[in-house]
Amino acid sequence: MIAERSGRDRASGGGGDGAGAQHAGHPDLEPIQYTFEPARVELAHWAHQMQVARAEMAHQPINDPDDPLLGTFDLLSHADVDAASPGARGAAIEPIRIARPVDHARDVVWDRTVEADTSIGKFEILSTDFAPPPREIVRGEPVSLETWRSWFHEGPRLPDETEEQACTRIGRLRVHPSVVREAIFRGGLENAVRPHAWRFLFGIFPWSSSVAERNQIRADRQARYMALKRAWKSQLQNLHDSASLGEHIVKDDLADNIMRIEKDVVRTDRGHPFFASSTVRQITQTDLQRPQSPTQAPLAGSSAARGAPAARTSLPNSGGASLPASPRSSTASTAPFGSQFRLTGHLEQLRDILVTYSTSPENDGLGFVQGMADLAAPILVVMKGNEADTYWCFVWMMERLKDNFRKDGSGMRRNLETMETMMRVLDPGLHVHLKVIDALNLFCCFRWFLVLFKREFEFDDVLRIWELWASDRYTTDLQHFIAMAILDEHRDAIVRHLLTFDEVLKYINDLSMNMRLDRILVRAEQLYLRFEGIARSRGCISDRDVEPFEKTLVERLDSLEL
Amino acid sequence: MRGGRKALLKVIILGDSGVGKTSLMNQYVNNKFSTQYKATIGADFLTKEVLVEERSVTMQIWDTAGQERFQSLGVAFYRGADCCALVYDVNNVKSFENLDSWRDEFLLQANPRDPENFPFVVIGNKVDVEESKRQVTQKRAMAWCQQKGNIPYFETSAKEGINVEQAFFTIAKNSLKQEADVELYSDFPDPIKIDGDTSVAKSAGCEC
């Protein structure tokens, strides 16, 4: 490993940054293919921890602005979260003061000669945009019930009702929605406000709605959800032995979807107290939870009836088409045809929401795709088990994210390409490094985008990210900036130590549940502001454009010579 | 190739969602089983140092999402694989029937030099579940393996740790053989004996 490393340093002209083209100044030297080295991943993690520790130790006043290492060349590099901020998960976020440069040792992207290897030859990047130092970002407190209510006209109050109950009857919004969006973006929401605010954020209620309109909307949505749900349930019931082959196929599709949904429902957020009282009972073979003992199986008549149809579907069946369930047994069933598990409580609700979505017109023929359960479960938790409202929030979310779930991978590819463009603009050094080591496909970010950081942070942090994302302050694509912020946070470790695609993937996957959201949110906002600044300075957006810009921003930047 | 034979063996685990790919990997690498696994999103891998035929090698075991939806990413992950473990659930016939497409998909995406002789291993998992729930007989599975060019077959329980070690040992051995074969082309002296597939035939039996 050491030999490799020194060889590389020689090859890259001693650039400790490692981001330079490998054979700068040595045109004869072949590019070296590195093999995965677990030790480098360990080293990178260790180096990052050291960097954080060093930064946190450096309690010093703001440095000399004339310091050539700072300011103009700065990505965001020297900014760091004030070490004094508690940053406790789930706790109220103290305002965090940023832009105090602390880490001199950190590599600065811009102060070295970086080479860009492009299809038409190699270029030395002499300079990128001169950007002002990162703006000071102040994170705020989560929005409280009191604050939330103060934004709305008072609704009819009932005697002895709690703040929270009163929230369901508040009148029209009396401030501009941008005030609400800004506050939510700045500090997120307190737990008690979430069920109310998410119904606005996730598209059920228009910001301008009155209480009467909201009641109407809820009733309509509830009815529509129930109708959709009834439709697939009765589809399963109404098929008899005489059903046509076509009906069998439709039903097989549905059964297949149900089977796949249940497989994931029983392994989604099971550690969360919300799902603790829900039970899973196997009614056929697959054993994910506990093997059923023969004496346990046919307990009550009802459970035997529930078990019957499912057991029949899973018999070895070379013909492909499953036998339809008998109408009698499936009518009483909470475990529909195709089920492997008998689910109760919130797990059953989650299953029904996902099955309903997989059969709905909004689904666009995607069916169920893994990752959807991760997106639906937290909403159900926030909505306290209100199935219909969860469903519609989920539909709204999927409208934004469903391209990521397409079979041909087109949506996800576009997402990752957008990331790549952004990186080229915001951090060319990192971009070149990832290109040299063949990791520019950014598959390391795949999971982040598919389930919107659900697997990267603790549950409460995920809720926070989602509400900021839905607040649409600045951008409707906050996920790209959060992703860039995570990469930025770790860019030195990546650039200095990681030499293969696998190492980057491993390093990034290892970050799961091990990141400080407060730091990342601050960086994400700074990155957005910097990105917008660059776009303005290059004429990609003008004052005539209105927020949010991001849709055209990436496109326009991409078309410009960088 | 730099520095002679590489000591990294890349193994890809494929199979339907929920057959136990993550569990197998974790049982093998960490000797742990949990009922709290989540559906794998994208891909991840674990590494383990093993001693095979007196050589110390690093096995890099890739665990991929079981839903076919993610296979468009396959190329990046399958590239350079030395062995592929096809996993199904012995209590779920569909997962067995899908082995064909997993194998085809792998060969298509990984595009190995010698697809005819690329080392696969088939693993029938979850044999700890009671016998009455079993949907795929050992005989049927072995017939399939034989038909596909004598693929070694193992029946395992990731939950109970049954046969997992043995399955991965064969994976390591055959990966190494693949490595050796590849290197024969590049004129490397090869101290590793390449025998006929007798070991493969022997390992095809399952004791459980």
Side-chain angles (χ1 to χ4, degrees):
Chain A
M1 196 189 96
I2 289 164
E4 269 176 29
R5 179 71 201 177
S6 60
R8 181 186 173 74
D9 281 347
R10 230 182 11 254
S12 62
D17 192 76
Q22 287 196 356
H23 37 300
H26 299 259
D28 306 335
L29 217 56
E30 284 296 304
I32 301 167
Q33 281 293 317
Y34 292 96
T35 48
F36 172 75
E37 172 55 65
R40 278 198 290 264
V41 179
E42 294 299 313
L43 189 59
H45 281 301
W46 178 80
H48 176 71
Q49 282 157 18
M50 291 302 288
Q51 184 192 326
V52 171
R54 227 172 34 231
E56 288 185 345
M57 269 159 51
H59 277 281
Q60 60 202 44
I62 290 179
N63 287 292
D64 179 4
D66 295 331
D67 185 333
L69 273 174
L70 303 173
T72 51
F73 293 115
D74 197 326
L75 168 56
L76 291 172
S77 38
H78 306 287
D80 220 314
V81 175
D82 192 319
S85 86
R89 285 216 165 89
I93 294 177
E94 295 283 324
I96 294 166
R97 304 213 166 271
I98 297 301
R100 184 177 48 76
V102 283
D103 185 7
H104 273 234
R106 192 175 198 262
D107 269 8
V108 181
V109 187
W110 321 112
D111 69 343
R112 290 175 200 278
T113 304
V114 171
E115 285 205 350
D117 197 353
T118 71
S119 55
I120 49 167
K122 278 194 210 89
F123 293 95
E124 230 179 48
I125 298 171
L126 294 175
S127 155
T128 59
D129 293 73
F130 285 81
R135 216 182 287 180
E136 182 165 330
I137 300 295
V138 180
R139 298 283 309 149
E141 298 280 342
V143 172
S144 66
L145 266 179
E146 208 182 351
T147 308
W148 174 257
R149 278 191 51 216
S150 74
W151 288 330
F152 293 84
H153 290 287
E154 188 81 13
R157 286 297 294 260
L158 300 179
D160 301 330
E161 70 180 354
T162 63
E163 283 274 307
E164 197 167 352
Q165 287 162 335
C167 264
T168 58
R169 271 188 303 284
I170 46 178
R172 280 187 201 274
L173 188 67
R174 53 182 196 171
V175 297
H176 193 273
S178 64
V179 173
V180 183
R181 292 181 189 283
E182 159 66 19
I184 293 173
F185 181 83
R186 195 67 36 223
L189 297 158
E190 274 184 9
N191 243 325
V193 191
R194 284 200 172 115
H196 308 288
W198 279 37
R199 286 176 164 96
F200 288 88
L201 283 175
F202 288 73
I204 295 184
F205 300 147
W207 288 108
S208 60
S209 54
S210 69
V211 63
E213 284 161 348
R214 290 197 288 269
N215 288 338
Q216 186 59 47
I217 288 169
R218 277 186 86 170
D220 291 349
R221 297 262 179 143
Q222 166 83 15
R224 249 193 88 199
Y225 172 71
M226 291 313 290
L228 285 166
K229 181 169 151 178
R230 263 197 312 274
W232 64 263
K233 290 217 166 182
S234 68
Q235 196 183 354
L236 295 175
Q237 285 168 18
N238 294 338
L239 288 167
H240 302 285
D241 291 18
S242 60
S244 71
L245 183 63
E247 285 169 309
H248 276 301
I249 290 167
V250 169
K251 187 171 167 183
D252 254 17
D253 266 5
L254 182 53
D256 190 50
N257 253 350
I258 291 172
M259 198 184 71
R260 286 185 295 127
I261 286 167
E262 289 185 345
K263 256 180 196 162
D264 281 9
V265 163
V266 298
R267 47 181 179 165
T268 301
D269 290 323
R270 290 299 298 285
H272 195 283
F274 181 78
F275 292 105
S277 61
S278 309
T279 61
V280 175
R281 170 112 149 260
Q282 283 189 348
I283 46 181
T284 63
Q285 289 80 353
T286 307
D287 174 34
L288 265 173
Q289 301 307 304
R290 51 188 160 155
Q292 210 175 354
S293 73
T295 49
Q296 217 183 335
L299 276 177
S302 63
S303 69
R306 281 173 188 136
R312 289 178 67 189
T313 68
S314 48
L315 287 170
N317 182 350
S318 49
S322 306
L323 293 168
S326 77
R328 190 206 136 262
S329 49
S330 49
T331 35
S333 180
T334 55
F337 181 88
S339 288
Q340 298 195 311
F341 305 101
R342 191 184 147 212
L343 306 174
T344 67
H346 297 312
L347 289 177
E348 186 187 358
Q349 290 185 313
L350 185 58
R351 195 251 339 260
D352 286 356
I353 287 164
L354 290 167
V355 176
T356 305
Y357 180 68
S358 77
T359 61
S360 75
E362 287 87 2
N363 178 267
D364 258 0
L366 288 174
F368 173 75
V369 186
Q370 285 192 323
M372 290 180 181
D374 278 282
L375 294 177
I379 306 177
L380 188 60
V381 174
V382 168
M383 295 293 150
K384 299 178 178 172
N386 183 316
E387 222 178 290
D389 286 356
T390 302
Y391 176 80
W392 291 109
C393 287
F394 175 67
V395 166
W396 181 89
M397 192 177 199
M398 285 303 295
E399 282 303 302
R400 287 183 162 199
L401 299 176
K402 71 182 172 194
D403 279 349
N404 293 342
F405 289 87
R406 302 226 177 262
K407 196 167 188 171
D408 61 3
S410 58
M412 186 54 86
R413 206 171 310 121
R414 222 172 19 250
N415 231 328
L416 298 176
E417 282 166 7
T418 299
M419 264 297 280
E420 197 217 309
T421 304
M422 284 177 43
M423 189 187 295
R424 199 146 37 93
V425 173
L426 289 168
D427 192 348
L430 180 61
H431 186 269
V432 170
H433 180 73
L434 294 182
K435 183 171 184 176
V436 166
I437 67 172
D438 204 16
L440 208 49
N441 53 34
L442 295 178
F443 285 163
C444 57
C445 308
F446 178 90
R447 189 172 68 193
W448 298 355
F449 292 135
L450 193 80
V451 293
L452 210 57
F453 305 100
K454 170 77 186 321
R455 299 289 182 92
E456 318 309 321
F457 294 93
E458 301 292 343
F459 196 85
D460 287 343
D461 282 352
V462 171
L463 301 184
R464 170 79 14 106
I465 292 176
W466 289 11
E467 61 208 12
L468 263 60
W469 171 78
S471 79
D472 291 350
R473 171 78 175 105
Y474 295 130
T475 167
T476 54
D477 286 323
L478 186 65
Q479 69 271 31
H480 291 138
F481 294 93
I482 292 178
M484 269 308 296
I486 297 173
L487 290 177
D488 180 58
E489 167 95 4
H490 295 273
R491 66 96 57 195
D492 285 356
I494 295 169
V495 162
R496 284 179 179 168
H497 299 289
L498 304 181
L499 298 179
T500 68
F501 162 71
D502 321 15
E503 288 166 18
V504 176
L505 183 83
K506 186 72 190 159
Y507 182 87
I508 296 286
N509 280 349
D510 287 348
L511 296 178
S512 170
M513 303 297 159
N514 204 13
M515 289 188 278
R516 279 180 50 185
L517 184 60
D518 51 355
R519 291 169 66 102
I520 287 161
L521 293 179
V522 165
R523 272 176 202 268
E525 186 173 359
Q526 288 176 323
L527 281 166
Y528 174 80
L529 293 171
R530 171 152 164 75
F531 191 70
E532 195 192 305
I534 292 172
R536 279 187 194 283
S537 72
R538 295 188 192 171
C540 296
I541 43 176
S542 66
D543 292 336
R544 281 199 309 273
D545 290 308
V546 281
E547 289 190 54
F549 308 119
E550 77 293 335
K551 291 290 178 216
T552 46
L553 213 66
V554 168
E555 228 168 70
R556 291 185 195 172
L557 275 172
D558 209 20
S559 65
L560 286 177
E561 285 293 320
L562 293 172
Chain B
M1 197 176 289
R2 187 184 50 81
R5 195 176 297 110
K6 72 171 177 182
L8 182 78
L9 301 177
K10 183 169 177 178
V11 178
I12 316 286
I13 310 182
L14 296 178
D16 277 9
S17 170
V19 296
K21 298 179 292 297
T22 307
S23 300
L24 278 166
M25 179 178 78
N26 273 295
Q27 179 59 262
Y28 177 61
V29 175
N30 300 321
N31 294 106
K32 278 184 196 150
F33 177 81
S34 158
T35 52
Q36 294 280 327
Y37 284 123
K38 300 165 180 173
T40 305
I41 306 278
D44 199 1
F45 61 84
L46 292 177
T47 53
K48 180 167 175 155
E49 299 284 328
V50 283
L51 201 64
V52 189
E53 296 177 353
E54 294 169 1
R55 275 191 63 191
S56 170
V57 295
T58 305
M59 277 177 91
Q60 184 194 38
I61 304 163
W62 285 76
D63 175 30
T64 54
Q67 192 164 356
E68 76 286 348
R69 217 45 83 90
F70 297 112
Q71 297 318 307
S72 54
L73 296 180
V75 190
F77 299 133
Y78 301 173
R79 196 172 42 196
D82 298 299
C83 183
C84 174
L86 300 170
V87 184
Y88 77 99
D89 171 359
V90 297
N91 313 297
N92 178 341
V93 68
K94 192 119 184 258
S95 70
F96 174 73
E97 288 164 354
N98 283 340
L99 288 186
D100 260 315
S101 46
W102 282 113
R103 181 176 170 276
D104 294 348
E105 185 68 18
F106 174 80
L107 290 174
L108 189 76
Q109 303 255 17
N111 195 19
R113 194 186 297 230
D114 182 10
E116 292 296 307
N117 295 308
F118 185 85
F120 285 95
V121 168
V122 170
I123 296 176
N125 192 33
K126 305 195 189 181
V127 293
D128 52 280
V129 177
E130 61 184 287
E131 187 61 29
S132 68
K133 298 189 187 276
R134 187 163 173 144
Q135 293 185 359
V136 182
T137 63
Q138 193 184 104
K139 197 174 154 203
R140 187 176 171 195
M142 285 175 74
W144 187 87
C145 291
Q146 191 139 35
Q147 181 212 331
K148 297 291 173 189
N150 256 333
I151 301 178
Y153 176 64
F154 292 90
E155 298 200 339
T156 61
S157 162
K159 189 177 182 179
E160 313 282 346
I162 299 167
N163 234 4
V164 176
E165 195 73 38
Q166 290 88 327
F168 277 95
F169 184 73
T170 298
I171 289 169
K173 218 169 52 175
N174 292 2
S175 308
L176 208 57
K177 193 170 93 58
Q178 163 82 355
E179 279 284 302
D181 285 350
V182 168
E183 276 158 20
L184 280 181
Y185 292 108
S186 42
D187 284 327
F188 262 92
D190 200 273
I192 299 207
K193 188 165 163 274
I194 301 159
D195 52 9
D197 267 0
T198 49
S199 59
V200 172
K202 257 184 274 168
S203 65
C206 170
E207 305 306 317
C208 49

